[in-house]
Amino acid sequence: MSGQQLSFAIFGNSYQAGKAACTEDILAELRARGAEIYMERSFYNFLTLQEKRAVQVSGIFDDYNFDVDYAVSIGGDGTFLKAAKKVGAKGIPIVGINMGRLGFLADVLPGEIKEAIDEIYEGRCKVEEHTVLQLMTDGETLEGCPYALNDIAVLKRDTASMISVRTSVDGEFLVTYQADGLVVSTPTGSTAYNLSNGGPIIAPHTNSICITPVAPHSLNIRPIVIGDDREIVMEVESRSHNYLVAIDGRSEKMLEGTRLIIRKAPYAIRIVQRNRHRYSATLREKLMWGADQRE
C-alpha cells in the first residue's frame, strides 16, 4: 500500500479534554503521507471551538455520511463503540487510538501512532472481523440503532423488584430468569458488562455468544454459551410493566408486552490490530490475568 493515497474518517469524544494534542499528532502523520482526512462534525467543533485548535481536514461529515478506506477512533472503548455504530455495514476497518483506561477495542497507544500508521500504509497490520448482534422487536418499535458490537442487555427499571425474562433459543424454551437483568454478549463484549456479572471470557472467532444473568434470584442459574447462529427470544414481565433494553450501553424503555429477538447481524465489524497484538497478552496486561498478589 506504500505510496497509495488513503482516506480516513476521524471520530472522537467531545467530552474528554486532553485529546487535542494527540489528535494533532495523528492528523500530522496522515497529512505527511498525503491522506484525505474527514472528521465527524461534533468532534471538529469540539477541537476548533472549545479547544481553539487549528484543524486542517479535507472535509467534515455528519452521522453516516462518509466513504473512506479507514475509520479512526480517538478515545476509549466507548468512543470506539460509537464509531462502530456509524461504520455499521460499510465494511470499513476501524483503528482505535486508546486515550481511555482499559482499552480492549482501542488498542493503539498514543506513543504508537506513527508505527501503527506505517503498518497500515505498508499492509502489515491485521484486520479482524468481529461478530455483531442485531435486536428486533415484536410489539413496541425500537427507536435507536439495533446493532451491538459488545452486548444487548435487558434490565429492570425500578429499584424495588427484579424482572422475569422467559428465554427461548431457536424456538426451544431455555429457562425463565428471575433477575435484575440479562446480558447477551459477543466474544468482543465478553470482557465488558458480561465479565462484571460473572460471565466467562470468550476468545475471539469462536462463533459463540453468551447469556449471563444480572444478580439472579436463584443461585443455580449460570451463564450459558451458545452458537452465534442461534436465535434468542425473550419475553419480559415486570411489576412496573416496562423495562430497559441497553444496546452497547445506550438504553431505551420498552413496554412489557414487547418480545425481543436477538440474532447475529448480517455484517461484521472489522478492527485493525497492531502486528504485535496477541489476545492472551491483552488479557494479562488489561485484566492482570493470572497475576499473583503475593509477590
Side-chain angles (χ1 to χ4, degrees), residues 126-226:
K126 298 184 295 183
V127 178
E128 294 185 346
E129 293 200 343
H130 289 242
T131 298
V132 176
L133 295 176
Q134 177 179 6
L135 174 64
M136 290 165 288
T137 59
D138 180 7
E140 192 176 15
T141 303
L142 194 71
E143 292 182 3
C145 175
Y147 298 104
L149 176 60
N150 266 0
D151 49 51
I152 297 172
V154 181
L155 303 166
K156 68 174 187 177
R157 280 198 73 223
D158 56 291
T159 57
S161 60
M162 66 191 75
I163 56 176
S164 174
V165 187
R166 189 183 194 278
T167 305
S168 300
V169 177
D170 278 355
E172 180 181 337
F173 173 64
L174 177 65
V175 73
T176 297
Y177 294 91
Q178 305 279 348
D180 283 359
L182 203 59
V183 182
V184 180
S185 168
T186 65
T188 309
S190 68
T191 51
Y193 194 30
N194 166 74
L195 186 63
S196 69
N197 282 289
I201 295 172
I202 305 175
H205 318 303
T206 49
N207 301 319
S208 56
I209 53 179
C210 186
I211 305 173
T212 301
V214 178
H217 183 59
S218 175
L219 293 178
N220 58 9
I221 289 286
R222 291 288 182 266
I224 183 171
V225 177
I226 62 175

Side-chain angles (χ1 to χ4, degrees), residues 114-130:
K114 185 181 186 305
E115 291 86 347
I117 293 174
D118 283 341
E119 287 181 6
I120 289 171
Y121 270 86
E122 294 166 11
R124 293 188 289 114
C125 62
K126 298 184 295 183
V127 178
E128 294 185 346
E129 293 200 343
H130 289 242

